[in-house]
């Protein structure tokens, strides 16, 4: 029985990933930056983004649903454009954070320039996100920065 439990745990951890991060959002319209810190857990079926500072927020993406839990403990589901944008952002965060997924993705082009990867998004995502720069060291993503068409940027720095 112990062997089965250990085997199941090994499978679970071999297919899941995650990382702590700092997020810096520049909002051009107000010419200001917002700083957040958190953790992302990624597995085959569920992605969870938990912001720890400046305030607690947990975003859970499971299949085609996204829910947000605030510091009060209230949970609400997203719909419409909010669902689409949040789902897209979590998906991009998951894929750009892993070096292997950058090399085998059909949703964007990747041009390598030394330890920098320039990502150009295709289809619907390309209408929102102009491009991204991914910084790699020893075949591991260290950080990435998203450039939006409206002049905003979002930078994720892995800890």
């Amino acid at each position: 029985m112990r062997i089965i439990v250990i085997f199941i745990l090994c499978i679970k951890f071999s297919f899941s990933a995650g990382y702590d991060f700092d997020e810096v959002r520049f909002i051009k319209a107000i010419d200001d930056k917002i700083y957040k810190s958190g953790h992302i857990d990624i597995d085959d079926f569920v992605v969870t983004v938990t912001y720890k500072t400046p305030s607690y927020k947990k975003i859970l993406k499971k299949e085609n649903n996204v829910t947000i839990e605030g510091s009060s403990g209230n949970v609400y589901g997203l719909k419409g454009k909010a669902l689409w944008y949040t789902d897209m952002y979590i998906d991009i965060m998951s894929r750009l954070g892993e070096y292997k997924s950058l090399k085998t993705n059909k949703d964007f082009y990747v041009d390598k320039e030394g330890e920098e990867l320039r990502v150009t998004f295709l289809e619907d995502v390309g209408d929102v996100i102009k491009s991204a720069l991914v910084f790699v060291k020893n075949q591991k993503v260290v950080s990435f920065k998203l450039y939006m068409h409206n002049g905003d940027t979002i930078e994720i720095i892995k800890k």
Side-chain angles (χ1 to χ4, degrees):
M1 183 66 178
R2 286 184 193 171
I3 294 173
I4 293 172
V5 171
I6 291 171
F7 180 71
I8 290 170
L9 288 173
C10 288
I11 290 173
K12 165 77 173 142
F13 290 118
S14 67
F15 292 112
S16 63
Y19 56 88
D20 291 323
F21 64 90
D22 287 328
E23 178 179 299
V24 181
R25 287 183 183 239
F26 172 72
I27 303 168
K28 185 178 180 181
I30 60 173
D31 194 31
D32 200 9
K33 290 183 179 180
I34 298 172
Y35 300 90
K36 297 180 181 182
S37 291
H39 181 83
I40 184 169
D41 283 314
I42 306 160
D43 73 24
D44 291 338
F45 304 105
V46 179
V47 178
T48 306
V49 179
T50 307
Y51 289 101
K52 299 171 185 170
T53 59
S55 61
Y56 174 84
K57 183 191 308 185
K58 182 177 179 180
I59 305 169
L60 180 70
K61 176 187 174 200
K62 186 175 184 181
E63 296 174 3
N64 294 326
N65 296 314
V66 176
T67 59
I68 297 178
E69 176 185 343
S71 57
S72 67
N74 293 335
V75 177
Y76 58 94
L78 297 180
K79 295 179 183 175
K81 283 188 176 185
L83 172 63
W84 187 84
Y85 282 112
T86 305
D87 183 55
M88 176 193 64
Y89 175 66
I90 291 171
D91 188 47
I92 295 299
M93 232 178 129
S94 302
R95 291 192 282 168
L96 292 186
E98 292 297 321
Y99 184 73
K100 289 179 188 175
S101 69
L102 287 169
K103 296 168 60 176
T104 60
N105 203 295
K106 64 184 184 330
D107 296 326
F108 46 79
Y109 292 119
V110 178
D111 293 319
K112 187 173 183 179
E113 299 172 12
E115 297 210 336
E116 272 185 21
L117 303 175
R118 180 165 299 278
V119 178
T120 305
F121 296 95
L122 305 173
E123 298 181 16
D124 292 341
V125 176
D127 293 340
V128 178
I129 305 174
K130 185 176 179 179
S131 64
L133 277 180
V134 180
F135 300 94
V136 178
K137 189 171 187 176
N138 299 324
Q139 294 190 342
K140 292 188 180 192
V141 175
V142 177
S143 67
F144 57 89
K145 190 170 188 175
L146 304 174
Y147 295 89
M148 310 300 176
H149 287 287
N150 66 0
D152 292 0
T153 62
I154 302 173
E155 184 174 14
I156 302 294
I157 303 141
K158 287 181 154 185
K159 293 183 181 182

